């Protein structure tokens, strides 16, 4: 039997990471799970990668960028279109409120600018590359190593100059006999951003820029992938603007499909894609090179196990071979069963295994298990277990070095993080609806919620539809069920509302 000091040393050595790809770039290569979606992205067969928040799209994006040198051996250049951390570049346009048509031109010019800079960095000096560079330079649309937001500001000014009147004149018309006003006329003149340029260098049709890019890449037998992530952060405060920007983006994407040397790779949250296509978006049916990242219980177990066996101390303590464990699902289950307790809670109707409990407590009302919440749960459990050992608590069973209480403590932390950082931050309108559920039962129906909210039937239906849509409530046959993920933070307790008497529920 290991001493408390030995257990503390092993648990302390375990690092599950943060579950946020942008925050763990250095370790991501060793954690990364090469799924079928990843292989299709890597092979250039997928352009639109969808996932729920925390579902792994940024991990795929970050890994793709990190392996740029490998792509270069396949004669593929990489251009990143957003800041990997910090304030998103496109956030600079929120206050300008471009129209969808203006966004389409912004995207096209921005991508042309990125392509030109990438060609220059790669040492491509063919005539088409030089002409592309000169046209964008003379129009003031190259970065010159400036921050991306500066480039976007220049592009926005250029786009506005094409559609904003340079001069507006009005004239009042009078009746020659009476002198009374009989009408008003006006005229507008527009600035031509290319008026001072040599005709050979002026930007007419933006497609001309992509023709030059295609020719430049063809000359050196290369392709170029433009990769775009973090769009949810760019337009977080302006949902209608986000919708216009993304519709314009996908129209540009379809335009680029005519250039076989250029590929646009968009990493987007699946709920945002649903918003973009809601109410009809004809172009969506033409976007067929897309995949949604999904997770099963075995792949999630492997995800956790990969992080677990990075600890040399743990491998030594349990006499495990990391390479064999990550390659064999049965060995993953065995290793997990030795390190962790068999279950968190026991008794009739309780979840039988710890991992199943973890899955159930990190799943939202849409049935989605995002890796971010699962990894966060294990990271918090690790910290809670260290604290238990440091205070002299050593009551683990058998070989396990984690106690169920560590997961109970972690459960509340994950619940609060998800509720505050995702739900309340992104959907502030639902805060009063959810705060009213404090102390209420986990199973409710329309009648009980109308009583709690003091709302009529129509308003109750509107609110429940909203909460079901964002996954805070799960709609079942004849009632609404609050996922375990949100219960601790909401203060929702086990049981059924009085109005559900006689109705069979999980609570």
């Amino acid at each position: 039997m290991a001493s408390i000091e030995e257990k503390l040393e092993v648990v302390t050595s375990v690092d599950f990471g943060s579950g946020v790809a942008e925050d763990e770039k250095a370790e991501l290569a060793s954690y990364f799970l090469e799924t079928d979606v990843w292989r299709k992205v890597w092979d250039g067969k997928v352009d639109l990668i969808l996932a729920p928040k925390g579902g792994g799209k940024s991990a795929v994006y970050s890994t793709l960028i990190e392996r740029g040198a490998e792509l270069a051996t396949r004669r593929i250049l990489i251009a990143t279109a957003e800041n990997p951390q910090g304030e998103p570049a496109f956030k600079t346009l929120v206050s300008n409120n471009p129209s969808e048509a203006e966004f389409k031109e912004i995207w096209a010019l921005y991508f042309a600018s990125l392509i030109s800079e990438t060609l220059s960095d790669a040492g491509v000096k063919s005539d088409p590359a030089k002409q592309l560079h000169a046209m964008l330079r003379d129009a003031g649309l190259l970065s010159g190593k400036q921050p991306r937001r500066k480039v976007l500001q220049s592009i926005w000014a250029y786009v506005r100059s094409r559609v904003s009147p340079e001069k507006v004149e009005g004239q009042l018309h009078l009746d020659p006999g009476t002198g009374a006003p009989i009408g008003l006329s006006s005229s507008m003149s527009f600035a031509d951003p290319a008026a001072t340029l040599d005709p050979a260098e002026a930007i007419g049709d933006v497609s001309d820029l992509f023709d030059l890019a295609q020719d430049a890449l063809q000359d050196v037998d290369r392709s170029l992938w433009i990769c775009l992530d973090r769009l949810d952060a760019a337009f977080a405060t302006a949902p209608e603007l986000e919708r216009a920007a993304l519709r314009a983006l996908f129209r540009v994407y379809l335009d680029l499909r005519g250039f076989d040397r250029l590929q646009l790779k968009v990493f987007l949250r699946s709920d945002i894609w649903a918003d973009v296509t809601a109410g009809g978006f004809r172009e969506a049916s033409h976007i067929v090179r897309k995949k949604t990242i999904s997770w099963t219980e075995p792949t999630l177990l492997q995800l956790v196990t990969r992080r677990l066996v990075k600890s040399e101390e743990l491998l030594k303590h349990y006499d495990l071979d990391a390479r064999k464990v990550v390659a064999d699902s049965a060995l993953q289950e065995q290793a997990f069963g030795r390190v962790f307790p068999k279950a968190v809670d026991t008794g009739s109707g309780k979840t039988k295994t710890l991992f199943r409990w973890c899955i159930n407590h990190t799943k939202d009302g849409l049935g989605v298990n995002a890796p971010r919440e699962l990894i966060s749960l294990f990271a918090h459990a690790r910290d809670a277990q260290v604290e238990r050992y440091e205070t002299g608590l050593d009551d683990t069973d058998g070989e396990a070095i984690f106690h169920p209480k560590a997961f109970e403590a972690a459960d509340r932390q994950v619940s609060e993080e998800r509720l505050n950082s995702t739900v309340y931050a992104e959907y502030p309108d639902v805060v009063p609806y959810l705060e009213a559920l404090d102390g209420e039962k986990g199973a409710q129906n329309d009648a009980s919620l109308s009583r709690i909210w003091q709302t009529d039937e129509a308003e109750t239906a509107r609110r429940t539809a909203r909460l079901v849509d964002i996954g805070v409530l799960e709609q079942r046959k004849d009632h609404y069920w609050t996922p375990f993920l949100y219960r601790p933070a909401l203060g929702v307790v086990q049981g059924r509302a009085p109005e559900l008497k006689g109705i069979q529920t999980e609570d």
Side-chain angles (χ1 to χ4, degrees):
M1 181 69 70
S3 67
I4 189 171
E5 291 80 14
E6 290 171 326
K7 293 179 182 179
L8 174 60
E9 182 180 2
V10 176
V11 174
T12 302
S13 73
V14 174
D15 183 6
F16 288 103
S18 68
V20 180
E22 296 92 331
D23 296 339
E24 51 181 16
K25 284 186 177 180
E27 299 83 14
L28 189 59
S30 60
Y31 296 154
F32 188 69
L33 181 60
E34 295 191 2
T35 62
D36 181 59
V37 172
W38 159 257
R39 287 187 288 272
K40 283 184 167 58
V41 173
W42 183 249
D43 291 340
K45 297 177 180 178
V46 173
D47 298 331
L48 175 57
I49 300 89
L50 302 169
K53 184 172 184 177
K57 67 176 178 60
S58 291
V60 174
Y61 169 86
S62 297
T63 304
L64 188 66
I65 303 307
E66 285 297 311
R67 297 188 183 179
E70 293 179 56
L71 288 173
T73 65
R74 294 164 48 191
R75 308 196 68 76
I76 297 171
L77 302 174
I78 287 282
T80 56
E82 232 330 337
N83 297 327
Q85 290 180 306
E87 186 170 280
F90 272 84
K91 195 172 182 180
T92 192
L93 298 179
V94 170
S95 61
N96 301 123
N97 198 31
S99 68
E100 188 171 321
E102 289 169 336
F103 259 124
K104 188 172 187 292
E105 194 161 3
I106 289 168
W107 285 118
L109 290 170
Y110 182 54
F111 293 151
S113 178
L114 287 174
I115 292 166
S116 182
E117 293 286 2
T118 304
L119 291 172
S120 179
D121 291 344
V124 179
K125 298 179 180 179
S126 63
D127 287 343
K130 290 177 181 178
Q131 190 177 350
L132 173 64
H133 189 87
M135 290 175 68
L136 291 165
R137 180 199 61 214
D138 293 342
L141 303 181
L142 287 178
S143 72
K145 306 306 178 184
Q146 293 183 91
R148 290 183 177 91
R149 60 182 175 81
K150 292 286 189 182
V151 181
L152 285 166
Q153 288 167 2
S154 297
I155 291 172
W156 167 243
Y158 181 89
V159 170
R160 287 298 293 162
S161 73
R162 296 171 69 120
V163 297
S164 296
E166 183 180 53
K167 182 170 61 176
V168 179
E169 296 178 334
Q171 184 177 1
L172 180 66
H173 300 280
L174 304 177
D175 185 292
T178 64
I182 59 172
L184 182 67
S185 63
S186 64
S187 64
M188 294 185 294
S189 60
F190 292 81
D192 180 0
T196 61
L197 300 180
D198 184 282
E201 297 174 335
I203 298 176
D205 188 336
V206 177
S207 294
D208 294 342
L209 301 175
F210 296 125
D211 284 330
L212 290 170
Q214 171 82 0
D215 291 343
L217 290 164
Q218 183 80 43
D219 286 347
V220 292
D221 189 26
R222 293 191 184 184
S223 297
L224 192 150
W225 293 0
I226 304 170
C227 301
L228 187 57
D229 189 23
R230 300 189 69 217
L231 289 168
D232 55 322
F235 303 104
T237 60
E240 288 304 316
L241 190 66
E242 176 180 71
R243 183 181 173 88
L246 294 180
R247 282 174 171 250
L249 170 64
F250 288 111
R251 289 190 168 101
V252 173
Y253 163 81
L254 291 173
D255 290 343
L256 286 175
R257 293 290 295 140
F259 301 91
D260 63 0
R261 294 282 174 168
L262 297 170
Q263 288 192 25
L264 179 59
K265 308 290 182 183
V266 181
F267 297 78
L268 188 66
R269 274 174 39 183
S270 46
D271 60 316
I272 294 177
W273 173 246
D275 288 341
V276 169
T277 57
F281 181 49
R282 202 169 35 188
E283 287 80 355
S285 63
H286 300 290
I287 302 173
V288 295
R289 289 166 54 90
K290 66 178 184 288
K291 290 289 288 185
T292 299
I293 298 173
S294 59
W295 296 87
T296 63
E297 195 166 322
T299 56
L300 288 169
L301 177 61
Q302 187 181 58
L303 190 70
V304 171
T305 307
R306 278 176 174 269
R307 294 170 183 250
L308 188 67
V309 298
K310 291 299 295 180
S311 165
E312 293 293 338
E313 289 82 354
L314 183 136
L315 294 174
K316 182 178 179 181
H317 182 79
Y318 287 101
D319 191 24
L320 297 172
D321 184 317
R323 286 176 296 182
K324 289 182 179 179
V325 170
V326 299
D328 189 323
S329 59
L331 292 179
Q332 291 163 27
E333 291 181 11
Q334 291 174 18
F336 188 92
R338 294 175 67 188
V339 175
F340 298 105
K342 302 302 179 188
V344 171
D345 45 18
T346 58
S348 178
K350 301 295 184 180
T351 304
K352 299 304 181 184
T353 68
L354 173 76
F355 195 69
R356 170 62 62 176
W357 183 93
C358 293
I359 292 293
N360 288 345
H361 282 246
T362 54
K363 182 189 300 182
D364 71 5
L366 300 173
V368 173
N369 274 110
R372 182 175 300 174
E373 272 70 46
L374 186 65
I375 294 302
S376 182
L377 180 70
F378 278 90
H380 285 308
R382 177 262 185 207
D383 295 343
Q385 188 60 52
V386 167
E387 184 177 342
R388 289 179 66 83
Y389 284 140
E390 288 178 340
T391 55
L393 286 172
D394 183 16
D395 49 2
T396 55
D397 292 330
E399 285 188 288
I401 55 175
F402 283 81
H403 192 276
K405 292 291 184 184
F407 284 89
E408 291 178 3
D411 188 38
R412 171 166 289 280
Q413 290 177 284
V414 171
S415 181
E416 290 174 349
E417 287 172 359
R418 173 73 177 217
L419 183 67
N420 293 313
S421 299
T422 298
V423 178
Y424 285 173
E426 297 189 15
Y427 313 103
D429 59 298
V430 306
V431 173
Y433 315 161
L434 294 176
E435 288 182 340
L437 299 181
D438 186 16
E440 300 292 345
K441 304 296 186 180
Q444 303 283 340
N445 64 7
D446 290 318
S448 66
L449 290 171
S450 290
R451 168 179 54 80
I452 293 167
W453 290 330
Q454 298 184 337
T455 51
D456 61 23
E457 184 178 339
E459 176 60 15
T460 299
R462 187 189 71 80
R463 293 186 182 190
T464 53
R466 176 75 166 142
L467 295 176
V468 167
D469 185 54
I470 62 179
V472 182
L473 288 182
E474 180 181 333
Q475 187 164 15
R476 298 192 170 179
K477 183 179 179 181
D478 45 20
H479 67 284
Y480 302 100
W481 187 80
T482 307
F484 293 124
L485 173 60
Y486 294 111
R487 292 193 182 194
L490 289 174
V492 169
V493 297
Q494 185 175 356
R496 292 173 287 177
E499 287 83 352
L500 272 77
K501 185 177 180 181
I503 297 175
Q504 187 66 36
T505 72
E506 282 193 22
D507 283 84

